[in-house]
Amino acid sequence: MSFQPKNPMVKWVEHRLPIVGMVHHALYDYPTPKNLSYWWTFGSLAGFMLVVQIITGIVLSMHYTPHVDLAFNSVEHIMRDVNYGWLLRYMHANGASMFFIVVYLHIFRGLYYGSYKAPRELLWWLGLVIFLLMMATAFMGYVLPWGQMSFWGATVITNLFGAIPVVGDTIVTWLWGGFSVDNPTLNRFFSLHYLLPFVIVGVVILHIWSLHTNGSNNPTGLDLKEKSDSIPFHPYYTIKDLFGLAVFLIFFSAFLFYAPNYLGHPDNYIPANPLVTPAHIVPEWYFLPFYAILRAVPDKLGGVLLMFGAIAILFLLPWLDRSRIRSARFRPIYKQLFWIFVADCILLTYIGGKPAEGAYILWGRIATIYYFVHILILLPLVGLFEKPKPLPASISEDVLAKKGSAGEASNA
Amino acid sequence: MLKLIKSLSAAALLSVVAISGAHAAGAAIEYKSVDWSHEGPFGTYDRAAAQRGLQVYREVCAGCHSLEQVSFRTLADLGFTEDEIKAIAAEGTYMDGPNDEGDMFERAGKPFDKFPSPFANEKAARASNGGAFPPDLSLIVKARPGFENYLYSLLTGYEDAPEDHKLPAGMAYNAYFAGHNIAMPAPLAEDGVEYADGTKASVDQMAKDVTVFLAWAAEPKLEERKNMGLKVILFLLLLGGIFYAAKRKVWSDLH
Amino acid sequence: MTTTTPVEEDGVKRRDFLYIAAGGVGAVGTAMAIWPFVDQMNPSADVLALSTTEVDLGAIEVGSEITAVWQGKPVFVRHRTADEIAAAERDDTANLPDPQADADRVIKPEWLIMLGVCTHLGCVPLKESGDFNGWFCPCHGSHYDTSGRIRKGPAPLNLPVPPYEFLDDTTVKIG
């Protein structure tokens, strides 16, 4: 049913800007597979977190001062004096972690169900671009409170660019706007930290546009075939996503109200001091796997290349995966490999938080090698040699079969 | 959904292990553990202890350590009356001005002032303390791994150096300080202050009291935060319940 | 609008109730969540703490005035002469745009304390000038008398008197 406005006012607007029809189309006409599990909730949760971060960020910037002498104190001013300032700041700081949690789950869901395969390669690429922009935004945001970790994190990460042959030092000086991380650096990071989220919004719009062009993937990985395979997004998935949101908000609140500093680092409550480095520099938890890969190589340029390579090869995933089956449900070997890969990423996170010494170095290297072996070798090979399980004829058939077996189980 | 919950909790468990592993890194020393009244989801600051702690801070710590983020007016949180706060504030002197003649002048502190700093700047502080910089204490409880327990352990952790430990000149030995060589001499001595409420001012008691005070100084909104958290989570449970029922109802139409 | 499938009356009622409850509770939650974002723009605790100003009157000679700052705005503190007080009281019965007795504008007649913000569009009036020897606002030509009452010009109201109290003979607390 296409949208036919009855209200004359809506009609008038619709004739000039068909915006109500567009929303109507996305909610009612856009066919959504009927079998999406709760793993599909994390996409809308990521969108929700983006909005939370933008709103809390705009509000915080009303009270924050981007100057090396004032930044730390202005954050404490927010925490102590601004009405609900403590709430807004903890919301923003923990919100960044929550955003990464839902996005990581969203990415792993895509990996498990083969959501990156044709015809969704561009959708996958746009998602990776969002991920990269998120990392840049989060990194620059962490610099703003101008604590010890802010300062030294900024110093270490910007120095990575010094690894680039010939022009490295020039680029680092350009990034800093001086000869060390200082006030010009803080000012430009603040400016970019405010800008990038809106760039993310733009890419999110493209991401959703691309999604709606071919529709959502689903747990079977099958395309929509019959009319009975799909249902309208509203009310079925709006209410399902709202329930998911309520559950997620309880999780968020647990951190926000009862452990607001758990995901942070104590050193960032010490004002930045360019003359004293903290004993142990660690990035925020969401960067730890990449930090582990960086440190796995005993060479500056090599480490930097490998770290960026770890993300770059994700862009090749749609072509590296040779299997024509999308969902891991029907791929017995890939399913095992997927969970080993998840475990490997968690191991990298763990190693990234440890000092680079003793057994941690060895384990960091093993985990790094496996990360690349999984994507570059195992993934292409398993697609060629794996014997997939028989696929159901359609989404509807799969749903009915599941209902049947569930019925038997409850009867037994 | 059960599968989702299972895999999510497995991943969460592993991640928590991974992240807390990161937290524990470098913290080789086990701190003394105290049951602070402000811990836990319903914890509140022990007002009497915090008030005594303020006395310890002012009489013992304030000679070297600033508390530059804390305003006198916020002492009302700890149960001080307006007059008491005015009296405490008035003991500090502040440079103000310029006046109508264009000169700077000194005046007594007011409730809106922050605690006065003992030194004009970091260089002056180092010059007076043999090169060591006594850190600002406003956020000290949040700025050290181990938090309250670290501070309490440090304050009660002064010992004679072991035989094989070479103590540099001018340093004291502390069992809980990283590297054990601490520039701050043992700050607390038995009956170093005289408590108005008659509490015996043992080193242990003073260490606990000043830790409670500094915990409040670092996180003054802790009680408001936990209080709001309880209400928000109860509300979300209700909201989640209703959404779940509505979701069941919507999906029941689907054959 | 849509074709209704035969559903039992109870089912429809239960469903409608659930939808209304979900929408209602959701709306309440959203409204409550918005409040901190609104309230953060109100004056913060440190601003509110500065909302009173103490002024030392000892140095102000008869016939002179100082401009104190209260909540970021100028406050005129004038030590009035006997002539100024007399003129102000005499004009209590004059044709005033904003009628108010001089006695209602002061605590002690010799001390006139009022906001130095023109009630027209917020400029700061000049002292000892204008047609009534009080204040004159150069922006749009409003004339105030020796009690700070509007007498001529576009301003609608007298210069406002802030809340204040005498802490002792020579100290006044504004706010």
Side-chain angles (χ1 to χ4, degrees):
Chain A
M1 52 175 185
S2 76
F3 181 62
Q4 299 289 346
K6 293 208 175 65
N7 183 311
M9 197 115 109
V10 178
K11 237 181 190 162
W12 188 91
V13 173
E14 199 64 9
H15 185 62
R16 286 151 181 85
L17 179 74
I19 191 167
V20 184
M22 201 174 89
V23 173
H24 186 273
H25 177 78
L27 287 177
Y28 293 96
D29 306 341
Y30 168 59
T32 317
K34 66 200 272 189
N35 61 336
L36 298 186
S37 66
Y38 278 104
W39 287 108
W40 265 259
T41 310
F42 295 106
S44 56
L45 286 181
F48 173 80
M49 280 318 300
L50 177 60
V51 173
V52 167
Q53 290 304 88
I54 287 179
I55 293 176
T56 50
I58 288 172
V59 158
L60 286 171
S61 74
M62 295 181 189
H63 307 280
Y64 170 77
T65 314
H67 187 282
V68 289
D69 294 337
L70 303 169
F72 189 88
N73 288 347
S74 72
V75 172
E76 278 309 305
H77 163 68
I78 291 170
M79 292 296 286
R80 290 162 193 272
D81 293 333
V82 173
N83 302 322
Y84 296 106
W86 60 270
L87 176 67
L88 300 167
R89 185 199 161 223
Y90 278 154
M91 223 186 246
H92 197 70
N94 285 281
S97 285
M98 295 300 134
F99 198 2
F100 274 98
I101 289 174
V102 295
V103 162
Y104 278 133
L105 290 171
H106 188 65
I107 293 173
F108 278 113
R109 190 268 290 151
L111 289 175
Y112 186 84
Y113 292 109
S115 301
Y116 48 83
K117 294 189 193 182
R120 299 188 181 84
E121 302 95 323
L122 260 187
L123 177 61
W124 173 253
W125 276 23
L126 289 164
L128 288 173
V129 170
I130 293 170
F131 179 50
L132 284 171
L133 287 169
M134 276 175 67
M135 292 206 282
T137 310
F139 161 66
M140 287 189 280
Y142 195 61
V143 176
L144 303 185
W146 210 243
Q148 272 290 68
M149 277 296 166
S150 299
F151 181 87
W152 291 100
T155 301
V156 168
I157 300 298
T158 47
N159 266 317
L160 290 180
F161 294 90
I164 302 169
V166 188
V167 290
D169 286 343
T170 318
I171 289 181
V172 173
T173 307
W174 174 76
L175 283 173
W176 287 340
F179 304 101
S180 63
V181 173
D182 209 335
N183 201 45
T185 327
L186 177 61
N187 268 298
R188 61 193 59 184
F189 277 20
F190 178 57
S191 169
L192 293 172
H193 181 72
Y194 204 120
L195 167 72
L196 285 186
F198 297 96
V199 179
I200 294 178
V201 169
V203 184
V204 165
I205 290 171
L206 295 179
H207 190 67
I208 294 173
W209 188 2
S210 174
L211 170 72
H212 282 212
T213 305
N214 285 297
S216 297
N217 186 24
N218 67 83
T220 65
L222 299 174
D223 291 326
L224 296 174
K225 286 172 189 157
E226 313 159 12
K227 204 169 169 0
S228 64
D229 285 349
S230 68
I231 48 178
F233 192 87
H234 181 78
Y236 295 103
Y237 287 111
T238 37
I239 189 67
K240 193 168 181 171
D241 282 357
L242 279 174
F243 171 60
L245 175 65
V247 173
F248 168 72
L249 283 177
I250 293 172
F251 175 75
F252 187 177
S253 299
F255 279 95
L256 174 57
F257 294 108
Y258 296 103
N261 294 307
Y262 180 74
L263 296 168
H265 197 287
D267 278 13
N268 227 27
Y269 282 112
I270 304 171
N273 183 345
L275 304 179
V276 182
T277 309
H280 183 56
I281 298 186
V282 274
E284 290 287 81
W285 69 268
Y286 37 81
F287 292 134
L288 290 176
F290 302 103
Y291 195 55
I293 292 175
L294 171 77
R295 297 191 308 183
V297 190
D299 174 73
K300 190 171 175 183
L301 180 61
V304 174
L305 285 178
L306 207 63
M307 184 177 72
F308 285 110
I311 299 169
I313 56 171
L314 295 176
F315 281 88
L316 303 177
L317 222 50
W319 296 276
L320 287 171
D321 187 345
R322 305 305 303 165
S323 172
R324 54 188 182 82
I325 314 284
R326 289 199 189 100
S327 173
R329 258 180 66 191
F330 307 108
R331 302 183 58 191
I333 301 174
Y334 174 71
K335 193 193 228 170
Q336 314 276 338
L337 289 177
F338 170 83
W339 287 111
I340 296 172
F341 182 67
V342 171
D344 188 54
C345 290
I346 292 173
L347 178 63
L348 280 170
T349 308
Y350 176 76
I351 300 286
K354 289 290 180 186
E357 58 192 33
Y360 297 129
I361 296 180
L362 179 67
W363 278 106
R365 289 184 183 157
I366 293 173
T368 301
I369 291 168
Y370 186 80
Y371 178 94
F372 286 94
V373 166
H374 172 88
I375 294 174
L376 294 174
I377 299 172
L378 296 178
L379 201 59
L381 284 182
V382 76
L384 295 176
F385 297 111
E386 184 180 44
K387 188 175 175 300
K389 287 186 189 169
L391 294 176
S394 70
I395 293 171
S396 294
E397 192 197 278
D398 182 63
V399 170
L400 283 175
K402 275 199 150 179
K403 266 198 184 141
S405 66
E408 275 164 32
S410 63
N411 287 341
Chain B
M1 189 165 63
L2 215 67
K3 266 180 78 183
L4 173 99
I5 292 170
K6 265 194 223 158
S7 11
L8 269 185
S9 24
L13 197 73
L14 279 169
S15 312
V16 164
V17 170
I19 294 171
S20 46
H23 274 250
I29 308 171
E30 187 89 11
Y31 302 121
K32 296 182 199 173
S33 179
V34 178
D35 284 328
W36 306 102
S37 72
H38 55 273
E39 285 176 336
F42 304 101
T44 54
Y45 288 117
D46 179 342
R47 296 292 191 282
Q51 292 202 7
R52 290 194 299 269
L54 170 67
Q55 188 184 346
V56 175
Y57 167 75
R58 294 180 71 217
E59 293 179 20
V60 181
C61 320
C64 300
H65 292 276
S66 58
L67 193 66
E68 61 182 21
Q69 305 288 352
V70 182
S71 307
F72 291 115
R73 62 184 156 80
T74 57
L75 290 173
D77 291 359
L78 296 180
F80 286 98
T81 66
E82 204 183 322
D83 288 336
E84 285 169 334
I85 292 171
K86 272 190 177 167
I88 294 170
E91 285 178 33
T93 45
Y94 291 81
M95 194 58 89
D96 204 342
N99 61 14
D100 293 341
E101 280 76 48
D103 300 323
M104 302 302 281
F105 58 92
E106 283 192 342
R107 62 163 174 80
K110 303 242 175 91
F112 57 72
D113 284 315
K114 297 193 167 162
F115 276 77
S117 298
F119 302 106
N121 49 54
E122 186 181 332
K123 290 235 166 73
R126 284 190 191 277
S128 307
N129 288 283
F133 177 49
D136 181 71
L137 296 184
S138 315
L139 288 160
I140 200 79
V141 169
K142 286 203 287 188
R144 296 287 183 277
F147 312 106
E148 288 90 340
N149 287 338
Y150 168 78
L151 187 58
Y152 168 76
S153 302
L154 184 90
L155 289 173
T156 56
Y158 284 87
E159 296 168 4
D160 293 328
E163 293 284 323
D164 54 346
H165 186 87
K166 202 168 173 320
L167 202 61
M171 292 281 182
Y173 183 88
N174 191 302
Y176 297 95
F177 191 70
H180 300 306
N181 303 325
I182 186 166
M184 172 169 75
L188 301 174
E190 289 291 312
D191 297 311
V193 302
E194 197 176 320
Y195 283 138
D197 64 2
T199 306
K200 166 114 180 74
S202 63
V203 168
D204 186 74
Q205 184 67 42
M206 288 186 286
K208 277 182 181 150
D209 290 346
V210 81
T211 301
V212 172
F213 171 68
L214 291 175
W216 166 81
E219 187 76 357
K221 306 290 183 179
L222 171 135
E223 293 171 5
E224 192 184 343
R225 166 160 63 75
K226 290 178 179 175
N227 203 341
M228 186 188 286
L230 181 68
K231 290 176 193 154
V232 168
I233 288 178
L234 286 176
F235 176 83
L236 286 172
L237 286 170
L238 171 76
L239 188 74
I242 293 174
F243 280 172
Y244 185 63
K247 188 253 161 193
R248 290 284 298 252
K249 198 73 203 161
V250 169
W251 282 73
S252 70
D253 293 357
L254 213 61
H255 303 296
Chain C
M1 224 165 70
T2 49
T3 53
T4 43
T5 44
V7 189
E8 281 180 42
E9 191 80 346
D10 276 1
V12 174
K13 268 191 191 155
R14 191 175 127 72
R15 193 180 61 188
D16 288 349
F17 170 75
L18 267 176
Y19 291 176
I20 292 165
V25 177
V28 168
T30 311
M32 289 194 300
I34 286 172
W35 174 242
F37 293 85
V38 175
D39 193 36
Q40 55 86 19
M41 280 174 66
N42 276 319
S44 56
D46 55 328
V47 174
L48 291 173
L50 292 172
S51 58
T52 64
T53 301
E54 285 180 19
V55 179
D56 179 16
L57 304 176
I60 309 173
E61 305 282 329
V62 175
S64 70
E65 74 176 71
I66 62 154
T67 306
V69 179
W70 174 63
Q71 294 187 346
K73 290 173 294 214
V75 174
F76 296 152
V77 181
R78 182 163 185 87
H79 198 168
R80 295 196 293 186
T81 62
D83 287 350
E84 285 170 349
I85 299 169
E89 285 173 351
R90 191 182 61 235
D91 283 355
D92 279 354
T93 53
N95 183 21
L96 298 170
D98 179 17
Q100 197 177 20
D102 184 62
D104 295 336
R105 293 177 54 78
V106 292
I107 294 175
K108 295 178 180 176
E110 62 270 34
W111 293 106
L112 177 63
I113 297 174
M114 60 191 182
L115 285 188
V117 180
C118 181
T119 58
H120 181 220
L121 291 170
C123 295
V124 178
L126 307 172
K127 64 180 174 180
E128 293 157 21
S129 52
D131 295 355
F132 298 86
N133 295 321
W135 287 264
F136 171 69
C137 181
C139 289
H140 305 95
S142 294
H143 298 256
Y144 298 91
D145 65 14
T146 55
S147 186
R149 291 172 298 205
I150 180 67
R151 300 299 291 271
K152 197 172 123 184
L157 298 170
N158 303 333
L159 292 176
V161 176
Y164 66 89
E165 60 179 316
F166 283 90
L167 297 181
D168 54 56
D169 280 349
T170 58
T171 317
V172 69
K173 186 176 109 181
I174 303 170

